[in-house]
Amino acid sequence: MAGKSASLHIVWFRDDLRLSDHPALHAASQSGAPVICLYVLDDTSNAQLRPLGGAARWWLAQSLRALQADLNALGSRLVLRRGPAAKVIAALARETGAAAVFWNEIAQAPHLAAAERVAASLQAIGVAAQSFPGDLLAAPPSIRTKDGRGLRVFTPFWRRVQASGDPPKPLPAPAKLGRAPDVATDRLETWRLEPSQPDWAGGLRETWEPGERSAQARLNAFLETGVSGYSVQRDRPDRDGTSGLSPHLRFGEISPRQVWHAARFAAAARPALAGDIDKFLSEVGWREFCRHLLFDVSDLADRNLQPSFDAFAWRRDDKALAAWQRGQTGYPVVDAGMRQLWHTGTMHNRVRMVVASFLVKHLLIDWREGEKWFWNTLVDADAGSNPANWQWVAGSGADAAPYFRVFNPILQGEKFDPDGAYVRRWVPELGQLPTGLIHQPWSASPLELKAAGVELGTTYPQPIVDHRRGRERALEAYAKTRNG
Ligand code: FAD
């Protein structure tokens, strides 16, 4: 064990895999002391923390590599260790004689509990611990009703966040980091975060470039060109009309306050874009809203926010669930979305709403089944946004969609994918159908189907549920919950 080095600091990285606007790293670097940058894969000791799904594990591996490269460029490196965070961090502090450990807070119950255990283990060996806020625009305890409860309706919530003024200005990345002693590190490959047999991540690699540089480049490109027309384009899955920042935000490769300030700066420089930029920031506000909900309701992925839903008569239908998961429902826009998800680890927001509504309303399958599938397949799978949005669609959540809103997958397709380009891309077996039929191939005549090379029930499924029948069944079931 090394003697206590009054000056050595450890920075514990978690969902903040970046160098800029990283308050803990900034504070450590300002001290001028040598800094050990540490990431701990703690997949055993924190039973409340939901294990990452497959797509998110892939992202994490790439993001750690990117952080490693950025630290190397500063003459530093990322130390990787695996095990219970409290034990691993205290052991490293002992081994190196560190004087202090710094980290950024994550305002989620399992992360707060983990940080408390780390702080206690450090206190026991006389090592200082300090944490810094920064994962959200506003700390959850600061946005409350008069009687101290979290807000359950988005608009007043977002008004309150905006009224609390600009969040602190982002901090710069350290220009250099004090050289730390060499300590043992795991090899990332041994963590087996990436799939190998089979390697299903080809589509993810084609689609994404994880890491802070790529996050910054995406934000800049979006604010320069993409944001113009965002308020309308954001609903079009056939266009590249949104920022694509969600997985970068999820892993903290960019902070929400960096997004906030860059967007405000762009709006000031180009006032004509102010409306689109406000809309974009309000979407970032939804992320914030979901995280605040999660802060109050740590079992958001398991429990209906509205208890009246506890008695809801969900159907168990494994065949229909599997057809939904594989993009074989017979509804082109639903199938396109589910296949986009499987291939790329993401799905357009409009289509997420349509496929979620289809599962919980047309198929009457419990929203938790859909939430779990998304958790495993989304690169941006987020402990707040995923369950909160599922509950929103199901009607069991906060500020939820009205129960009688049953998205019509045909009309949604025709409205938001008017040329059928999104369906043609993800459901190529329908590619030759005329645009007027592409969202409802069952309406095509035998001749039209033949000309397009489509054989319903063979090359592409018949609808697994009739739209009108599914809608009526959903309304009946929902009416019982409402009246029950
Ligand atoms: P942009 O339109 O560019 O929006 C900017 C940012 O705002 C996003 O990066 C995201 O961080 C945030 N945002 C946008 N819409 C929402 C929203 N409805 N709720 C919360 N935050 C939002 N988003 C996730 O980040 N993780 C999830 O696990 C997730 N699961 C979802 C499940 C369902 C059923 C639905 C309907 C939506 C879900 N969303 C989730 C929200 C949304 O679909 C994605 O955030 C969005 O598609 C990401 O694309 P973008 O970064 O280009 O978004």
Side-chain angles (χ1 to χ4, degrees), residues 336-347 373-374 377-378:
M338 297 309 290
R339 296 183 199 185
Q340 180 189 19
L341 173 62
W342 184 249
H343 189 74
T344 65
T346 190
M347 190 196 301
W373 183 256
F374 270 32
T377 50
L378 277 173

Side-chain angles (χ1 to χ4, degrees), residues 208 218 222 230 234 241-247 249-250 259 280-288 290 346-356 371 374-375 378 380-393:
W208 297 105
R218 246 184 207 274
F222 178 69
Y230 172 80
R234 63 182 285 275
T242 65
S243 71
L245 281 172
S246 55
L249 280 162
R250 156 66 185 82
V259 174
F280 168 64
L281 280 181
S282 80
E283 294 305 317
V284 178
W286 271 100
R287 170 186 186 269
E288 188 89 2
C290 298
T346 190
M347 190 196 301
H348 189 275
N349 179 61
R350 167 62 46 184
V351 190
R352 291 189 203 201
M353 291 193 280
V354 174
V355 304
E371 198 275 344
F374 270 32
W375 181 261
L378 277 173
D380 65 16
D382 184 275
S385 298
N386 198 40
N389 275 285
W390 272 96
Q391 294 221 38
W392 181 85
V393 175

Side-chain angles (χ1 to χ4, degrees), residues 297-313:
V297 186
S298 57
D299 55 353
L300 194 60
D302 298 319
R303 184 159 63 87
N304 292 305
L305 269 180
Q306 295 183 29
S308 60
F309 272 78
D310 292 348
F312 195 96

Side-chain angles (χ1 to χ4, degrees), residues 1-288:
M1 176 168 124
K4 188 144 300 183
S5 154
S7 52
L8 178 69
H9 288 6
I10 295 174
V11 175
W12 176 30
F13 283 79
R14 295 185 289 170
D15 287 346
D16 46 10
L17 302 175
R18 63 179 182 272
L19 301 184
S20 58
D21 198 31
H22 192 295
L25 181 67
H26 186 257
S29 72
Q30 288 297 94
S31 73
V35 178
I36 294 181
C37 296
L38 170 71
Y39 184 87
V40 183
L41 183 67
D42 182 355
D43 45 7
T44 49
S45 77
N46 198 346
Q48 299 150 296
L49 194 65
R50 199 170 176 189
L52 292 183
R57 285 167 69 85
W58 174 84
W59 188 286
L60 174 63
Q62 319 312 311
S63 194
L64 289 172
R65 272 195 199 106
L67 182 63
Q68 179 77 269
D70 290 344
L71 282 168
N72 290 348
L74 282 184
S76 180
R77 67 190 191 118
L78 184 64
V79 173
L80 303 175
R81 297 228 171 149
R82 183 175 201 166
K87 254 196 194 162
V88 168
I89 294 172
L92 183 64
R94 265 215 214 94
E95 181 188 329
T96 56
V101 180
F102 291 172
W103 63 84
N104 295 331
E105 276 166 19
I106 303 178
Q108 298 176 26
H111 287 289
L112 292 168
E116 260 174 41
R117 287 195 293 274
V118 170
S121 72
L122 292 172
Q123 197 184 16
I125 56 169
V127 175
Q130 201 178 342
S131 65
F132 302 80
D135 68 328
L136 294 170
L137 295 170
S142 67
I143 310 287
R144 305 259 117 192
T145 59
K146 279 198 197 93
D147 49 3
R149 283 179 300 121
L151 275 69
R152 293 286 165 95
V153 182
F154 175 72
T155 306
F157 167 85
W158 186 230
R159 241 187 255 128
R160 285 278 299 277
V161 174
Q162 289 175 300
S164 44
D166 282 339
K169 281 247 161 69
L171 299 160
K176 65 178 174 53
L177 284 174
R179 216 187 140 69
D182 266 353
V183 293
T185 174
D186 287 358
R187 277 186 37 246
L188 184 59
E189 293 69 39
T190 64
W191 287 0
R192 298 187 182 285
L193 294 171
E194 294 154 288
S196 56
Q197 286 169 339
D199 172 9
W200 44 256
L204 274 59
R205 285 190 290 271
E206 275 164 29
T207 313
W208 297 105
E209 191 185 341
E212 180 174 10
R213 282 163 199 267
S214 157
Q216 291 289 345
R218 246 184 207 274
L219 175 65
N220 293 338
F222 178 69
L223 290 175
E224 257 164 46
T225 52
V227 76
S228 170
Y230 172 80
S231 311
V232 177
Q233 302 291 341
R234 63 182 285 275
D235 268 324
R236 293 285 300 267
D238 56 337
R239 304 222 171 126
D240 193 11
T242 65
S243 71
L245 281 172
S246 55
H248 298 287
L249 280 162
R250 156 66 185 82
F251 285 91
E253 296 170 357
I254 192 165
S255 73
R257 55 195 200 187
Q258 286 177 311
V259 174
W260 171 285
H261 282 284
R264 285 269 173 262
F265 184 80
R270 294 160 73 196
L273 295 181
D276 284 326
I277 288 179
D278 275 354
K279 183 69 192 158
F280 168 64
L281 280 181
S282 80
E283 294 305 317
V284 178
W286 271 100
R287 170 186 186 269
E288 188 89 2

